[in-house]
Amino acid sequence: MLWYQLTSDIALLKLESSESGLSAGEAEIRRKKYGKNKLPEEKGESYVLIFLRQFQSPLIYVLLVASIIVFVMGDTADGFVILAVLAINAAIGTFQEGRAKEKLASLKVLTKTHSLAWRNGKETVLDSEELVPGDVIMVREGDQVGADARLLSAVSLHMDEAALTGESSAVLKKAESIEEQSLETADQKNMIWKGTYALSGFGKAVVVDTGVNTVIGKLAMKLGMLDSEMPLKENIRLLTKVIMVALAVISVIFFFAGVHAGNPVSEVLKVIVALAVSFVPEGLPVVVTLILATGVWRMSMRNALVKKLQAVEALGQADVLAVDKTGTITKNQMMVTAIYANGKKFEVGGNGYEPRGYIKEGSSTVEPLNHPELLLFAKTALLTATGSIAYNEEKKEWMRTMGEPTEVALAVFGQKMGFNKPALEEELPQKAEIPFDSRIKYHATVNDVLGVDTLFVAGAPEVILNSVKEVWKNGACVLVTENDMGEIKQALSDLSTRGLRVLALATASGVNSVLDPMKLPELCFVGFAGITDALRPHATQAIKDIKAAGVHVVMITGDYVETGVAVAKEIGIFSEGDAVLSGSELEKMTVEELVLKIRRVSVFARVSPEHKLQIIEAYKKAGNKIAMTGDGVNDALSLAAADLGVAMGKSGTEVAKDAADIVLLDDNMASIVSAIEEGRNIYRSIKKVVLYLFGTAAGEVLVICGAIFLGMPIPLTPGQIIWLNLVTDGFLVVALGLEPKADGLLLNVFKKPSKWIVDRRMLERILLMGFVMSVLSLYLFAFYLPEGIVKASTVVLTVLAVTQWFNVWNVRFNRKSIFKMNWLNNKFLLYATGIVVILQVAVVHVPSLQSVFHTTALSLSEWAIIVGLSTSVFLAEETRKFLRYGLPALLRQLNWKT
C-alpha cells in the first residue's frame, strides 16, 4: 500500500488505530499475527560445516575419485596421501573463514533500541521488537526509528536517512499526504523508516510495517537470495571441467585402443589409472589455498578483514569499481569548506567534525586573527548553531552528539577559529532565540554585545538576502549597493554550482529582543558558508591510484545529481564529457539499453538499492568484473550482487558488513589499492603454479602415451607419479606460490585476466615443457630398458624429477631470461629445491623407499648424465623467450639505429 498518498486520518482508519494508539491486548493479538519486529538472524555455521564446505569443488571431487582409484588398485599409502592433502587444504580454508567470522562478530555492537509508543492511552517506553502495525510512536531528536511509520504530525523534524537511502543531507519531514505516483523511498517525505535517526525536531507517527515487511527487512530478505560467484572460483571451475573432459576422452580412447590391441583389461586399467593420476594436479588446491591465505594475511596487516579467501584475488581482477559516496568517499559529516565574506573567498580545510583545520585565501594559508571578517563570521556561526560534538574513544574520532548536521558544521567551524561557545555566550549573553523552522528557514539569536541587543542569523540565502540592507565591509556595516548585491549573488551562484549547501549569515544591531519569527529586521550581510559532506582522508589519492591501475571508477549515490557530480569532480572520478544517469532515467531503461550507455557514465545519482542492482547487472552483461564499496543498508544488495563487495568497518552498518566479502576496519580506501595489487599478485602466482603443474602433467602424460604407442612397458607406476605430483611438485609449488610481488602490478599495462586460467601462450609453454621432458625420458627409458624395467623406470622417475627442479625456475618469468633474474629473492624456492633434491636421492638409494616406489640405485655417472641432459629444459625455454621477445626487440633496436 502507498501509505504516503493517504491522509493521516485515512492511514489510521486503514490500520484500525487512533491518535491514542493501541490497547495492550490489541497489541498482543497483532504481535501474534505479525510476529516480533526484528529481522531473521542467520544461524551461524559450526566449524564442522565450514570444514565440510571446503570440499564443495569439482576439482576436489576429481581428486577424491583419484584417491578411490588408487585405493582400488591396492596402493593404500598413496590413497591416504591424497586424502591428507585434501584435509590440509580444507583445514587452512576453515581456519581463515572461521577466524574472519569471529572477527566480524566482534565488530558488531549488540544494542537494543527502544521506542516511545502510546499504549492504553499513555506514553510507554517499549523494546522496539514489540512494535506492531497500528502502534503510534513519538520521535524526538536523537531517537532511532523502530519501524516503518506514516507521520501524523511533524514539527521541524529532520531525519538522517544516509544509511538507508544514501542521501547525505538531513531530510525535512512533513505530515501532509503526497499525490505523486511511484515515489522512491528517499522522496516519501511523510514516511520515517526503521533504522534511521531523528536529528532535530519532533514527530508523531503510526507504524505501518514491522520486521521483514519494513524497507530494511525487504532488503535483508533479498540479500539472502543473492549469490555472486567470484572470478577465481569460476576460473577454477572451468579449468576443472576441462581436466575432467580431457581425462574422460583420453581414458576412453586408451581403453578401447588397448583392448582392441589385445591387451588384458587389467593392464589397460593400470594404464588409465596411471594417466588419471598424472593428469590430475593434486597439489593445486593446497597451493591455491596457501597463496590466498598468504594474501589474506598480508591484507590483515593493512586493516582489511577478508571474509573469503578468494576475495582478495577477485579485487585484483576487477576492472570496474563502483564506490558509494556517502560514508565511503565522504565521512557523512557535514563541514564548512568555503566562505565568502567581505568580498573575499576562503577555502576551509579539515577532517569532518574534527575541530581543527586551516583556512586559505587563494594558495596562501591565512591567520584568522588578521581577518576581522572571519572572526565575525565565526562568532555568527557559533552563536546560531545548536549542534555539538564529542570525541568517541571507541571509534577514535569526533562525532556529532546533537543537532542537525549543517548546524554542527557551523559550530565546528567556530571551534576551528578558536572560539568556545560557552565562553562566547558568557561574553555575549543570549537574550532571545528563534529556533530553525522549515517555514521561516532560518535560526536566529539575540545577544548582548557591549550593552546593545544584536541579532545573529543563519539561514537560507533567498530568505536572508530579502532582508539585507547593509553589507559588512572592512570593519563596519555599510549600505549595500547594486554592485555589492551583484557580487553577492554571483558568489552564491559560484558556491551553488560547486554542489555546496549554502547558508547566509547576517547580523543587525539595536534590535528588539522580542522578535517576530515571520518578519526579519533589516540585516547586515556577513557572508556565505558553503557546506558539504567531508571527504575521507586519503580518498582522493586512493581514487587516483585505482584509476592509474586501469580500473574504471564510478560513483553511485542517493544524493541529487548536482551534489554527486560536485563530489565526483573534486575527488577525480568525474571528468568533462562523462555522462551522468539519475534514478528516474534508470527507471525508463532496460538492462540492455543501460549496457550501451554505461561505458560513458561516471556518476549515478538519486538511485535506489534496486537501481544499484540494475547497474551491477549491466556491468556484468558488458563483460566487466565489478567491485562495489558501501557502508549503508541501501548498499547491502549491491555489495552481495557484485563480483566483490567491500564494506566500511567503522562507519558501516551491520547489514553492509554481513553482505560484503572484504571489510575495511579503518575505513581507509587506500586499503583497496593494496588489495588490488595483492589480488593481481595472487593471480600471477596462481598462473605460475598452474603453468608449472600442467607442464609436469603434460610431461608425464606424454611419457606414458609415447611408451604405449612405441610398444614399450608403462614407464611409471601410480605410486611414482604420486611421488612426483605430491612430493617433488609439492615443495616446489608451495615455494613458487610465495614468490615476491612482481613490479608494475598497479600499472595500466596489467593484462586483465580472461575466464581461462590457461591462455594460449601458457598452453604453448606447457606443451613445450611437456615435449622436452617426454622426449628426454623416453630416450633414456629405451636406453636403459635392456637393464630391466626397474632400472629404466627409476631413470625416468629421476629425469622427470630433475627437469621439474629446473623448470620451476623457468616459470618464474614469462619474458625475463633465467640468467638475468635474481636467484636469491625467493629463498623459499632455494630451500624447496634443496629439499626435493635430498628426497629424490633418498627415494632412489634408501632401501625401504626403494621397495615402496620400485626403484633401484643409480651410479654417479648416471646421475651426471641425467642432470646434464635435463638442462635441455633451460635451453628450450630460453630459446622460446629469445624468439618471442628478445629477437623482435633486437630487430626494433637495429631498425631504430638505422
Side-chain angles (χ1 to χ4, degrees), residues 664-683:
L664 304 182
L665 301 182
D666 57 357
D667 289 5
N668 190 343
M669 283 192 66
S671 297
I672 295 179
V673 181
S674 301
I676 290 174
E677 183 180 30
E678 194 65 58
R680 292 180 175 182
N681 185 64
I682 285 171
Y683 188 79

Side-chain angles (χ1 to χ4, degrees), residues 429-736:
Q430 185 183 104
K431 300 184 68 174
E433 179 181 15
I434 302 177
F436 179 86
D437 187 279
S438 59
R439 293 168 298 175
I440 59 175
K441 296 183 179 179
Y442 71 84
H443 180 198
T445 67
V446 176
N447 297 74
D448 184 340
V449 181
L450 300 177
V452 179
D453 288 348
T454 304
L455 177 75
F456 296 93
V457 60
E462 66 272 18
V463 174
I464 302 301
L465 293 182
N466 281 339
S467 299
V468 166
K469 301 300 179 184
E470 294 179 318
V471 59
W472 195 94
K473 279 187 177 182
N474 303 321
C477 287
V478 298
L479 288 175
V480 67
T481 64
E482 186 174 334
N483 185 56
D484 290 334
M485 189 55 70
E487 290 182 2
I488 290 171
K489 290 182 177 179
Q490 183 59 50
L492 174 61
S493 175
D494 292 343
L495 292 171
S496 299
T497 302
R498 291 170 55 183
L500 300 176
R501 181 177 182 181
V502 183
L503 292 181
L505 277 64
T507 186
S509 295
V511 298
N512 190 333
S513 60
V514 180
L515 298 173
D516 180 0
M518 304 309 295
K519 184 178 181 182
L520 282 168
E522 294 184 354
L523 299 174
C524 174
F525 177 76
V526 172
F528 289 127
I531 300 174
T532 188
D533 194 354
L535 294 178
R536 287 196 177 279
H538 315 301
T540 302
Q541 184 60 46
I543 294 296
K544 182 179 179 181
D545 292 340
I546 291 168
K547 293 179 74 172
V551 179
H552 179 54
V553 183
V554 298
M555 189 177 79
I556 302 179
T557 178
D559 266 324
Y560 291 99
V561 170
E562 296 78 10
T563 304
V565 170
V567 172
K569 276 184 178 179
E570 184 177 359
I571 204 166
I573 293 177
F574 181 88
S575 302
E576 293 303 326
D578 288 354
V580 180
L581 283 179
S582 66
S584 58
E585 292 172 309
L586 289 170
E587 287 282 354
K588 303 170 186 176
M589 299 172 68
T590 64
V591 173
E592 289 71 21
E593 291 171 332
L594 182 56
V595 167
L596 298 176
K597 293 186 176 182
I598 207 165
R599 296 186 188 279
R600 294 181 49 248
V601 180
S602 62
V603 176
F604 298 90
R606 209 62 181 164
V607 296
S608 68
E610 288 72 23
H611 293 147
K612 292 183 180 181
L613 285 179
Q614 183 183 356
I615 293 166
I616 286 171
E617 184 180 353
Y619 274 118
K620 285 185 173 182
K621 282 201 171 183
N624 298 111
K625 297 295 184 186
I626 181 168
M628 171 79 191
T629 72
D631 72 315
V633 173
N634 64 315
D635 301 316
L637 287 178
S638 50
L639 288 172
D643 293 304
L644 185 83
V646 182
M648 302 295 115
K650 289 172 66 177
S651 62
T653 60
E654 300 308 328
V655 176
K657 286 184 277 191
D658 284 341
D661 303 298
I662 295 177
V663 180
L664 304 182
L665 301 182
D666 57 357
D667 289 5
N668 190 343
M669 283 192 66
S671 297
I672 295 179
V673 181
S674 301
I676 290 174
E677 183 180 30
E678 194 65 58
R680 292 180 175 182
N681 185 64
I682 285 171
Y683 188 79
R684 285 195 170 184
S685 296
I686 291 173
K687 289 197 73 168
K688 290 177 185 179
V689 167
V690 169
L691 173 63
Y692 173 78
L693 289 175
F694 276 72
T696 298
E700 293 167 359
V701 170
L702 289 175
V703 165
I704 295 171
C705 294
I708 292 171
F709 283 110
L710 291 173
M712 295 188 290
I714 300 174
L716 297 168
T717 67
Q720 290 172 338
I721 295 172
I722 290 174
W723 171 268
L724 288 170
N725 291 357
L726 293 182
V727 180
T728 304
D729 283 355
F731 285 99
L732 294 176
V733 293
V734 166
L736 188 62

